[in-house]
Amino acid sequence: MAWYPGAIKLELQPESDSQAAIRPTQFIMHSIAAPWDEQRIYEYWRDSTNLESHFGLDYDGSLGQFIGTETKADANYRANLRPDGTGAVSIETASNLKHTDPWTVEQVEALIRLGVWLHQKHGIPLRICRTASDPGYGYHRLHADWSTGGTDCPGDARVKQFREVVFPGIVARATGKTPVPTNPAPTPAQESDVPAVLNESNKIDVEVGGEWLPLAFKDEGALLAGPVAALDVTVHLYFDTATSPDAKIQGVFYLTNADGSGASNALVVDKRGGGGHQFTHSQPIPAGKKLWFQVRAISPDGKPVTLLHRVASGPYWTA
Protein backbone atom coordinates (compact mmCIF):
# COMPACT_ATOMS: atom_id res chain seq x y z
CA MET A 1 0.00 0.00 0.00
CA ALA A 2 1.12 3.59 -0.59
CA TRP A 3 0.74 6.52 1.79
CA TYR A 4 0.88 10.14 0.62
CA PRO A 5 3.49 12.09 2.62
CA GLY A 6 1.37 15.24 2.49
CA ALA A 7 -1.53 13.68 4.45
CA ILE A 8 -2.18 12.80 8.08
CA LYS A 9 -2.35 9.02 8.38
CA LEU A 10 -5.69 7.98 9.93
CA GLU A 11 -5.75 4.31 9.05
CA LEU A 12 -9.11 2.56 8.91
CA GLN A 13 -9.14 -0.99 10.26
CA PRO A 14 -9.98 -3.68 9.37
CA GLU A 15 -10.56 -2.23 5.88
CA SER A 16 -6.95 -1.21 5.34
CA ASP A 17 -5.71 -4.78 5.78
CA SER A 18 -8.70 -6.81 4.61
CA GLN A 19 -9.81 -5.14 1.37
CA ALA A 20 -8.47 -6.14 -2.02
CA ALA A 21 -5.43 -4.63 -3.67
CA ILE A 22 -5.84 -2.37 -6.70
CA ARG A 23 -3.60 -0.86 -9.36
CA PRO A 24 -4.59 2.83 -9.24
CA THR A 25 -5.43 4.27 -12.65
CA GLN A 26 -7.91 7.04 -11.78
CA PHE A 27 -8.34 9.88 -9.29
CA ILE A 28 -12.01 10.77 -8.55
CA MET A 29 -12.98 13.85 -6.53
CA HIS A 30 -16.11 14.05 -4.34
CA SER A 31 -17.90 16.50 -2.03
CA ILE A 32 -19.12 14.94 1.22
CA ALA A 33 -22.07 17.35 1.74
CA ALA A 34 -20.89 18.20 5.25
CA PRO A 35 -18.47 20.85 6.60
CA TRP A 36 -16.20 18.23 8.15
CA ASP A 37 -12.46 18.14 8.68
CA GLU A 38 -10.35 15.06 7.97
CA GLN A 39 -10.73 13.72 11.53
CA ARG A 40 -14.54 13.92 11.39
CA ILE A 41 -14.60 12.23 7.96
CA TYR A 42 -12.42 9.44 9.36
CA GLU A 43 -14.77 9.00 12.32
CA TYR A 44 -17.77 8.82 10.00
CA TRP A 45 -16.17 6.07 7.90
CA ARG A 46 -15.11 4.24 11.04
CA ASP A 47 -18.31 4.47 13.07
CA SER A 48 -21.31 5.12 10.79
CA THR A 49 -20.96 3.23 7.50
CA ASN A 50 -19.16 0.40 5.78
CA LEU A 51 -18.08 2.74 2.98
CA GLU A 52 -14.94 4.84 2.82
CA SER A 53 -12.71 7.00 0.63
CA HIS A 54 -8.93 7.00 0.44
CA PHE A 55 -8.61 10.67 1.47
CA GLY A 56 -10.58 13.37 3.29
CA LEU A 57 -9.95 17.10 2.77
CA ASP A 58 -10.92 19.96 5.09
CA TYR A 59 -11.73 23.53 4.02
CA ASP A 60 -8.33 24.71 5.29
CA GLY A 61 -6.42 22.26 3.08
CA SER A 62 -5.57 19.75 5.80
CA LEU A 63 -5.70 16.24 4.40
CA GLY A 64 -6.22 12.82 5.97
CA GLN A 65 -5.54 9.44 4.38
CA PHE A 66 -7.56 6.46 5.58
CA ILE A 67 -6.47 3.62 3.27
CA GLY A 68 -3.36 3.14 1.15
CA THR A 69 -3.79 4.07 -2.49
CA GLU A 70 -3.07 0.49 -3.61
CA THR A 71 -6.01 -0.84 -1.56
CA LYS A 72 -9.65 -0.71 -2.66
CA ALA A 73 -11.95 1.94 -1.16
CA ASP A 74 -15.72 1.91 -1.66
CA ALA A 75 -16.59 5.45 -2.77
CA ASN A 76 -16.77 4.94 -6.55
CA TYR A 77 -19.11 1.97 -7.21
CA ARG A 78 -17.79 0.09 -10.27
CA ALA A 79 -14.59 2.13 -10.30
CA ASN A 80 -13.56 0.79 -6.89
CA LEU A 81 -12.12 -2.46 -8.28
CA ARG A 82 -12.42 -3.79 -11.82
CA PRO A 83 -11.92 -7.38 -13.01
CA ASP A 84 -8.47 -6.46 -14.36
CA GLY A 85 -7.35 -5.30 -10.90
CA THR A 86 -7.44 -1.57 -11.65
CA GLY A 87 -9.32 0.89 -9.48
CA ALA A 88 -9.81 4.53 -8.56
CA VAL A 89 -8.31 6.62 -5.77
CA SER A 90 -11.06 8.69 -4.12
CA ILE A 91 -11.14 11.88 -2.07
CA GLU A 92 -14.06 13.34 -0.11
CA THR A 93 -13.86 17.10 0.36
CA ALA A 94 -15.61 19.26 2.95
CA SER A 95 -18.58 21.21 1.55
CA ASN A 96 -21.86 22.75 2.57
CA LEU A 97 -24.81 20.46 3.19
CA LYS A 98 -25.93 20.55 -0.47
CA HIS A 99 -22.38 20.48 -1.90
CA THR A 100 -23.05 23.65 -3.89
CA ASP A 101 -20.13 25.76 -2.64
CA PRO A 102 -16.78 26.07 -4.44
CA TRP A 103 -13.56 24.58 -3.15
CA THR A 104 -11.52 27.02 -1.08
CA VAL A 105 -8.11 28.21 -2.23
CA GLU A 106 -6.57 25.78 0.24
CA GLN A 107 -8.61 22.85 -1.04
CA VAL A 108 -7.66 23.62 -4.63
CA GLU A 109 -3.97 23.66 -3.76
CA ALA A 110 -4.24 20.38 -1.83
CA LEU A 111 -6.06 18.70 -4.73
CA ILE A 112 -3.38 19.84 -7.18
CA ARG A 113 -0.55 18.60 -4.96
CA LEU A 114 -2.20 15.22 -4.44
CA GLY A 115 -3.04 14.92 -8.13
CA VAL A 116 0.61 15.52 -9.06
CA TRP A 117 1.78 12.90 -6.54
CA LEU A 118 -0.66 10.31 -7.89
CA HIS A 119 0.69 10.93 -11.40
CA GLN A 120 4.27 10.57 -10.20
CA LYS A 121 3.65 7.62 -7.87
CA HIS A 122 1.17 5.55 -9.88
CA GLY A 123 1.50 6.88 -13.42
CA ILE A 124 -2.10 8.12 -13.65
CA PRO A 125 -2.16 9.82 -17.06
CA LEU A 126 -2.70 13.56 -17.29
CA ARG A 127 -6.13 13.55 -18.93
CA ILE A 128 -9.77 13.70 -17.91
CA CYS A 129 -11.33 10.24 -17.95
CA ARG A 130 -13.01 9.77 -21.34
CA THR A 131 -15.07 6.78 -20.20
CA ALA A 132 -15.87 5.22 -16.84
CA SER A 133 -12.88 2.86 -17.11
CA ASP A 134 -10.47 5.20 -18.91
CA PRO A 135 -7.38 6.07 -16.80
CA GLY A 136 -7.14 9.68 -15.74
CA TYR A 137 -8.75 12.31 -13.49
CA GLY A 138 -12.42 13.05 -12.84
CA TYR A 139 -15.19 14.03 -10.45
CA HIS A 140 -17.90 11.77 -9.06
CA ARG A 141 -20.78 12.71 -11.34
CA LEU A 142 -18.68 12.53 -14.51
CA HIS A 143 -19.63 8.89 -15.33
CA ALA A 144 -22.72 6.91 -14.31
CA ASP A 145 -20.70 3.80 -13.44
CA TRP A 146 -19.06 5.71 -10.61
CA SER A 147 -22.26 5.94 -8.51
CA THR A 148 -25.03 3.47 -7.76
CA GLY A 149 -28.04 5.64 -8.64
CA GLY A 150 -26.70 8.83 -10.15
CA THR A 151 -25.32 11.77 -8.20
CA ASP A 152 -25.03 15.57 -8.25
CA CYS A 153 -21.67 15.36 -6.49
CA PRO A 154 -19.82 17.62 -6.73
CA GLY A 155 -21.91 20.71 -7.46
CA ASP A 156 -21.61 22.92 -10.51
CA ALA A 157 -19.17 25.33 -8.86
CA ARG A 158 -16.65 22.58 -8.18
CA VAL A 159 -17.07 20.96 -11.59
CA LYS A 160 -16.19 24.34 -13.10
CA GLN A 161 -13.16 24.62 -10.81
CA PHE A 162 -12.07 21.10 -11.71
CA ARG A 163 -12.13 21.86 -15.44
CA GLU A 164 -10.74 25.40 -15.26
CA VAL A 165 -8.38 25.39 -12.27
CA VAL A 166 -7.73 22.03 -10.58
CA PHE A 167 -7.05 19.72 -13.50
CA PRO A 168 -5.09 22.32 -15.51
CA GLY A 169 -3.12 23.02 -12.33
CA ILE A 170 -2.23 19.34 -11.95
CA VAL A 171 -1.05 19.16 -15.56
CA ALA A 172 0.96 22.39 -15.30
CA ARG A 173 2.59 21.38 -12.02
CA ALA A 174 3.34 17.82 -13.14
CA THR A 175 4.89 18.90 -16.44
CA GLY A 176 6.81 21.87 -15.06
CA LYS A 177 4.87 24.34 -17.18
CA THR A 178 3.69 27.65 -15.77
CA PRO A 179 -0.12 27.91 -15.86
CA VAL A 180 -1.73 30.85 -17.62
CA PRO A 181 -2.26 33.67 -15.06
CA THR A 182 -5.88 34.19 -14.07
CA ASN A 183 -5.30 37.58 -12.35
CA PRO A 184 -4.30 40.92 -13.81
CA ALA A 185 -0.59 41.68 -14.15
CA PRO A 186 0.93 42.68 -10.80
CA THR A 187 1.73 46.26 -9.98
CA PRO A 188 5.40 47.32 -9.73
CA ALA A 189 5.14 47.08 -5.95
CA GLN A 190 4.05 43.46 -6.25
CA GLU A 191 6.77 42.59 -8.75
CA SER A 192 9.52 43.68 -6.40
CA ASP A 193 8.29 41.84 -3.31
CA VAL A 194 7.48 38.26 -2.44
CA PRO A 195 3.94 38.23 -1.03
CA ALA A 196 2.99 36.98 2.39
CA VAL A 197 -0.06 34.73 2.57
CA LEU A 198 -3.00 35.03 4.91
CA ASN A 199 -4.23 31.53 5.74
CA GLU A 200 -6.33 30.86 8.82
CA SER A 201 -9.58 29.14 9.68
CA ASN A 202 -11.99 28.74 12.57
CA LYS A 203 -14.48 25.87 12.88
CA ILE A 204 -16.31 27.09 16.00
CA ASP A 205 -20.07 27.41 15.40
CA VAL A 206 -21.40 30.96 15.78
CA GLU A 207 -25.00 32.21 15.69
CA VAL A 208 -25.33 35.18 13.32
CA GLY A 209 -28.41 37.37 13.62
CA GLY A 210 -29.54 40.81 12.47
CA GLU A 211 -26.90 42.74 14.42
CA TRP A 212 -23.42 43.21 13.02
CA LEU A 213 -21.05 40.56 14.40
CA PRO A 214 -17.30 41.25 14.13
CA LEU A 215 -15.44 38.02 13.37
CA ALA A 216 -12.19 37.63 15.28
CA PHE A 217 -8.97 36.73 13.50
CA LYS A 218 -5.42 36.17 14.72
CA ASP A 219 -4.12 39.75 14.51
CA GLU A 220 -5.81 40.80 17.78
CA GLY A 221 -9.15 40.27 16.07
CA ALA A 222 -8.27 42.08 12.85
CA LEU A 223 -7.57 40.46 9.49
CA LEU A 224 -4.44 42.47 8.73
CA ALA A 225 -2.54 45.50 10.02
CA GLY A 226 -1.00 48.11 7.71
CA PRO A 227 1.02 49.17 5.95
CA VAL A 228 -0.04 46.78 3.18
CA ALA A 229 0.69 47.97 -0.37
CA ALA A 230 -1.52 45.46 -2.18
CA LEU A 231 -3.67 42.48 -1.28
CA ASP A 232 -6.25 40.03 -2.61
CA VAL A 233 -7.81 38.61 0.54
CA THR A 234 -11.00 36.56 0.67
CA VAL A 235 -13.15 35.64 3.67
CA HIS A 236 -14.99 32.36 3.04
CA LEU A 237 -18.06 31.77 5.25
CA TYR A 238 -20.00 28.50 5.44
CA PHE A 239 -23.49 28.58 6.92
CA ASP A 240 -25.91 25.83 7.87
CA THR A 241 -28.40 25.87 5.01
CA ALA A 242 -31.12 24.29 7.16
CA THR A 243 -31.40 27.08 9.75
CA SER A 244 -32.63 29.77 7.37
CA PRO A 245 -32.29 29.05 3.65
CA ASP A 246 -33.78 32.44 2.66
CA ALA A 247 -31.54 34.57 4.86
CA LYS A 248 -29.70 37.53 3.34
CA ILE A 249 -26.06 37.40 4.43
CA GLN A 250 -24.31 40.76 4.58
CA GLY A 251 -20.57 41.15 5.02
CA VAL A 252 -18.40 44.23 5.26
CA PHE A 253 -14.69 45.02 5.45
CA TYR A 254 -13.71 48.22 7.26
CA LEU A 255 -10.61 50.03 8.51
CA THR A 256 -9.89 51.39 11.99
CA ASN A 257 -7.00 53.04 13.71
CA ALA A 258 -4.48 50.69 15.31
CA ASP A 259 -6.33 50.89 18.64
CA GLY A 260 -9.67 49.97 17.03
CA SER A 261 -11.12 53.47 17.03
CA GLY A 262 -12.29 55.51 14.07
CA ALA A 263 -14.08 52.82 12.05
CA SER A 264 -14.42 53.76 8.40
CA ASN A 265 -17.58 53.51 6.36
CA ALA A 266 -17.50 50.58 3.94
CA LEU A 267 -19.68 49.02 1.30
CA VAL A 268 -22.02 46.30 2.52
CA VAL A 269 -22.06 43.24 0.25
CA ASP A 270 -25.21 41.11 0.14
CA LYS A 271 -25.23 37.35 -0.39
CA ARG A 272 -28.41 35.29 -0.25
CA GLY A 273 -29.14 31.90 1.24
CA GLY A 274 -27.20 29.43 3.33
CA GLY A 275 -24.13 27.49 2.28
CA GLY A 276 -20.88 29.11 1.23
CA HIS A 277 -20.26 32.79 0.60
CA GLN A 278 -17.09 34.67 -0.31
CA PHE A 279 -16.20 38.31 0.38
CA THR A 280 -13.05 39.77 -1.19
CA HIS A 281 -11.03 42.88 -0.34
CA SER A 282 -8.24 44.32 -2.50
CA GLN A 283 -7.68 47.91 -1.31
CA PRO A 284 -4.32 48.84 0.32
CA ILE A 285 -4.16 49.29 4.09
CA PRO A 286 -2.36 52.49 5.19
CA ALA A 287 0.19 52.57 7.99
CA GLY A 288 -1.46 52.78 11.40
CA LYS A 289 -4.68 51.16 10.20
CA LYS A 290 -6.20 47.69 10.64
CA LEU A 291 -8.56 45.76 8.36
CA TRP A 292 -11.60 44.12 10.00
CA PHE A 293 -14.58 42.07 8.83
CA GLN A 294 -18.08 41.72 10.23
CA VAL A 295 -21.22 39.88 9.16
CA ARG A 296 -24.95 39.78 9.81
CA ALA A 297 -27.87 37.64 8.63
CA ILE A 298 -31.29 39.13 7.89
CA SER A 299 -33.86 36.32 7.89
CA PRO A 300 -37.56 36.56 6.96
CA ASP A 301 -38.44 34.78 10.21
CA GLY A 302 -35.98 36.81 12.30
CA LYS A 303 -34.08 33.70 13.34
CA PRO A 304 -30.27 33.62 13.37
CA VAL A 305 -28.28 31.36 11.08
CA THR A 306 -25.39 29.18 12.17
CA LEU A 307 -21.94 30.00 10.85
CA LEU A 308 -20.20 26.63 10.73
CA HIS A 309 -16.78 27.50 9.41
CA ARG A 310 -14.77 30.52 8.33
CA VAL A 311 -11.57 30.77 6.31
CA ALA A 312 -9.50 33.87 5.52
CA SER A 313 -6.94 33.48 2.76
CA GLY A 314 -5.01 35.27 0.07
CA PRO A 315 -1.72 37.00 -0.74
CA TYR A 316 -0.68 40.47 0.47
CA TRP A 317 2.36 42.65 -0.06
CA THR A 318 3.67 44.80 2.78
CA ALA A 319 4.66 48.36 1.92
Side-chain angles (χ1 to χ4, degrees), residues 162-185:
F162 173 87
R163 292 188 173 276
E164 296 181 1
V165 182
V166 175
F167 179 70
I170 292 170
V171 174
R173 195 85 56 90
T175 58
K177 297 177 181 177
T178 303
V180 177
T182 57
N183 295 322

Short mmCIF file of all heavy atoms in Angstrom, two decimals, residues 162-185:
data_model
loop_
_atom_site.label_atom_id
_atom_site.label_comp_id
_atom_site.label_asym_id
_atom_site.label_seq_id
_atom_site.Cartn_x
_atom_site.Cartn_y
_atom_site.Cartn_z
N PHE A 162 -12.85 22.26 -11.27
CA PHE A 162 -12.07 21.10 -11.71
C PHE A 162 -11.59 21.32 -13.14
O PHE A 162 -10.41 21.10 -13.45
CB PHE A 162 -12.92 19.82 -11.63
CG PHE A 162 -12.25 18.62 -12.24
CD1 PHE A 162 -11.39 17.83 -11.49
CD2 PHE A 162 -12.47 18.28 -13.57
CE1 PHE A 162 -10.75 16.74 -12.05
CE2 PHE A 162 -11.84 17.18 -14.14
CZ PHE A 162 -10.97 16.41 -13.38
N ARG A 163 -12.47 21.74 -14.02
CA ARG A 163 -12.13 21.86 -15.44
C ARG A 163 -11.26 23.08 -15.72
O ARG A 163 -10.42 23.03 -16.63
CB ARG A 163 -13.41 21.90 -16.28
CG ARG A 163 -14.16 20.56 -16.27
CD ARG A 163 -15.32 20.55 -17.25
NE ARG A 163 -15.93 19.23 -17.35
CZ ARG A 163 -15.49 18.25 -18.13
NH1 ARG A 163 -14.43 18.45 -18.90
NH2 ARG A 163 -16.10 17.07 -18.16
N GLU A 164 -11.44 24.16 -14.95
CA GLU A 164 -10.74 25.40 -15.26
C GLU A 164 -9.52 25.67 -14.40
O GLU A 164 -8.62 26.42 -14.82
CB GLU A 164 -11.71 26.58 -15.14
CG GLU A 164 -12.86 26.52 -16.14
CD GLU A 164 -13.80 27.71 -16.02
OE1 GLU A 164 -13.55 28.58 -15.16
OE2 GLU A 164 -14.79 27.75 -16.79
N VAL A 165 -9.46 25.06 -13.20
CA VAL A 165 -8.38 25.39 -12.27
C VAL A 165 -7.63 24.13 -11.80
O VAL A 165 -6.42 24.04 -11.93
CB VAL A 165 -8.91 26.16 -11.05
CG1 VAL A 165 -7.77 26.52 -10.10
CG2 VAL A 165 -9.66 27.41 -11.49
N VAL A 166 -8.38 23.16 -11.24
CA VAL A 166 -7.73 22.03 -10.58
C VAL A 166 -6.99 21.14 -11.57
O VAL A 166 -5.79 20.91 -11.44
CB VAL A 166 -8.75 21.22 -9.76
CG1 VAL A 166 -8.09 19.97 -9.17
CG2 VAL A 166 -9.33 22.08 -8.64
N PHE A 167 -7.72 20.61 -12.57
CA PHE A 167 -7.05 19.72 -13.50
C PHE A 167 -5.96 20.43 -14.31
O PHE A 167 -4.85 19.89 -14.43
CB PHE A 167 -8.07 19.04 -14.43
CG PHE A 167 -7.41 18.12 -15.43
CD1 PHE A 167 -6.83 16.94 -15.01
CD2 PHE A 167 -7.33 18.46 -16.77
CE1 PHE A 167 -6.18 16.09 -15.91
CE2 PHE A 167 -6.71 17.63 -17.68
CZ PHE A 167 -6.13 16.44 -17.24
N PRO A 168 -6.20 21.62 -14.86
CA PRO A 168 -5.09 22.32 -15.51
C PRO A 168 -3.91 22.58 -14.58
O PRO A 168 -2.75 22.54 -14.99
CB PRO A 168 -5.72 23.64 -15.98
CG PRO A 168 -7.16 23.33 -16.13
CD PRO A 168 -7.47 22.35 -15.04
N GLY A 169 -4.20 22.82 -13.30
CA GLY A 169 -3.12 23.02 -12.33
C GLY A 169 -2.30 21.76 -12.11
O GLY A 169 -1.07 21.83 -11.97
N ILE A 170 -2.96 20.61 -12.08
CA ILE A 170 -2.23 19.34 -11.95
C ILE A 170 -1.32 19.13 -13.15
O ILE A 170 -0.13 18.79 -13.01
CB ILE A 170 -3.23 18.17 -11.82
CG1 ILE A 170 -3.98 18.24 -10.49
CG2 ILE A 170 -2.51 16.82 -11.94
CD1 ILE A 170 -5.15 17.28 -10.39
N VAL A 171 -1.85 19.35 -14.35
CA VAL A 171 -1.05 19.16 -15.56
C VAL A 171 0.13 20.12 -15.58
O VAL A 171 1.28 19.72 -15.85
CB VAL A 171 -1.93 19.36 -16.81
CG1 VAL A 171 -1.08 19.31 -18.07
CG2 VAL A 171 -3.02 18.30 -16.86
N ALA A 172 -0.12 21.40 -15.28
CA ALA A 172 0.96 22.39 -15.30
C ALA A 172 2.04 22.06 -14.28
O ALA A 172 3.24 22.14 -14.57
CB ALA A 172 0.38 23.78 -15.04
N ARG A 173 1.63 21.69 -13.08
CA ARG A 173 2.59 21.38 -12.02
C ARG A 173 3.38 20.11 -12.34
O ARG A 173 4.58 20.04 -12.13
CB ARG A 173 1.86 21.24 -10.69
CG ARG A 173 2.71 21.28 -9.43
CD ARG A 173 2.99 22.69 -8.95
NE ARG A 173 1.79 23.47 -8.72
CZ ARG A 173 1.15 23.54 -7.55
NH1 ARG A 173 1.56 22.82 -6.52
NH2 ARG A 173 0.10 24.34 -7.41
N ALA A 174 2.69 19.10 -12.86
CA ALA A 174 3.34 17.82 -13.14
C ALA A 174 4.32 17.90 -14.31
O ALA A 174 5.30 17.16 -14.35
CB ALA A 174 2.28 16.75 -13.42
N THR A 175 4.04 18.79 -15.26
CA THR A 175 4.89 18.90 -16.44
C THR A 175 5.91 20.03 -16.34
O THR A 175 6.71 20.22 -17.26
CB THR A 175 4.03 19.12 -17.70
OG1 THR A 175 3.23 20.30 -17.52
CG2 THR A 175 3.12 17.93 -17.95
N GLY A 176 5.86 20.78 -15.23
CA GLY A 176 6.81 21.87 -15.06
C GLY A 176 6.48 23.11 -15.85
O GLY A 176 7.30 24.02 -15.95
N LYS A 177 5.28 23.17 -16.41
CA LYS A 177 4.87 24.34 -17.18
C LYS A 177 4.17 25.34 -16.26
O LYS A 177 3.48 24.97 -15.33
CB LYS A 177 3.94 23.94 -18.32
CG LYS A 177 4.59 23.03 -19.34
CD LYS A 177 3.59 22.61 -20.41
CE LYS A 177 4.22 21.67 -21.42
NZ LYS A 177 3.25 21.19 -22.44
N THR A 178 4.35 26.61 -16.54
CA THR A 178 3.69 27.65 -15.77
C THR A 178 2.27 27.83 -16.26
O THR A 178 2.06 28.05 -17.46
CB THR A 178 4.45 28.98 -15.90
OG1 THR A 178 5.80 28.78 -15.49
CG2 THR A 178 3.81 30.06 -15.04
N PRO A 179 1.25 27.74 -15.39
CA PRO A 179 -0.12 27.91 -15.86
C PRO A 179 -0.38 29.35 -16.30
O PRO A 179 0.29 30.27 -15.87
CB PRO A 179 -0.96 27.55 -14.62
CG PRO A 179 -0.04 27.78 -13.46
CD PRO A 179 1.34 27.45 -13.96
N VAL A 180 -1.36 29.51 -17.16
CA VAL A 180 -1.73 30.85 -17.62
C VAL A 180 -2.27 31.65 -16.45
O VAL A 180 -3.14 31.18 -15.72
CB VAL A 180 -2.80 30.75 -18.72
CG1 VAL A 180 -3.25 32.13 -19.16
CG2 VAL A 180 -2.25 29.96 -19.90
N PRO A 181 -1.77 32.88 -16.20
CA PRO A 181 -2.26 33.67 -15.06
C PRO A 181 -3.75 33.94 -15.20
O PRO A 181 -4.26 34.20 -16.29
CB PRO A 181 -1.44 34.97 -15.15
CG PRO A 181 -0.24 34.62 -15.97
CD PRO A 181 -0.70 33.57 -16.93
N THR A 182 -4.45 33.90 -14.08
CA THR A 182 -5.88 34.19 -14.07
C THR A 182 -6.16 35.56 -13.49
O THR A 182 -7.29 36.02 -13.51
CB THR A 182 -6.64 33.14 -13.25
OG1 THR A 182 -6.10 33.11 -11.91
CG2 THR A 182 -6.49 31.77 -13.87
N ASN A 183 -5.13 36.25 -12.95
CA ASN A 183 -5.30 37.58 -12.35
C ASN A 183 -4.61 38.62 -13.21
O ASN A 183 -3.72 38.29 -14.00
CB ASN A 183 -4.71 37.60 -10.94
CG ASN A 183 -5.46 36.68 -10.00
OD1 ASN A 183 -6.67 36.57 -10.08
ND2 ASN A 183 -4.74 35.99 -9.14
N PRO A 184 -4.98 39.87 -13.07
CA PRO A 184 -4.30 40.92 -13.81
C PRO A 184 -2.82 40.96 -13.49
O PRO A 184 -2.37 40.46 -12.45
CB PRO A 184 -5.00 42.21 -13.34
CG PRO A 184 -6.31 41.76 -12.79
CD PRO A 184 -6.07 40.38 -12.24
N ALA A 185 -2.02 41.56 -14.38
CA ALA A 185 -0.59 41.68 -14.15
C ALA A 185 -0.34 42.43 -12.86
O ALA A 185 -1.04 43.39 -12.53
CB ALA A 185 0.07 42.42 -15.32
#
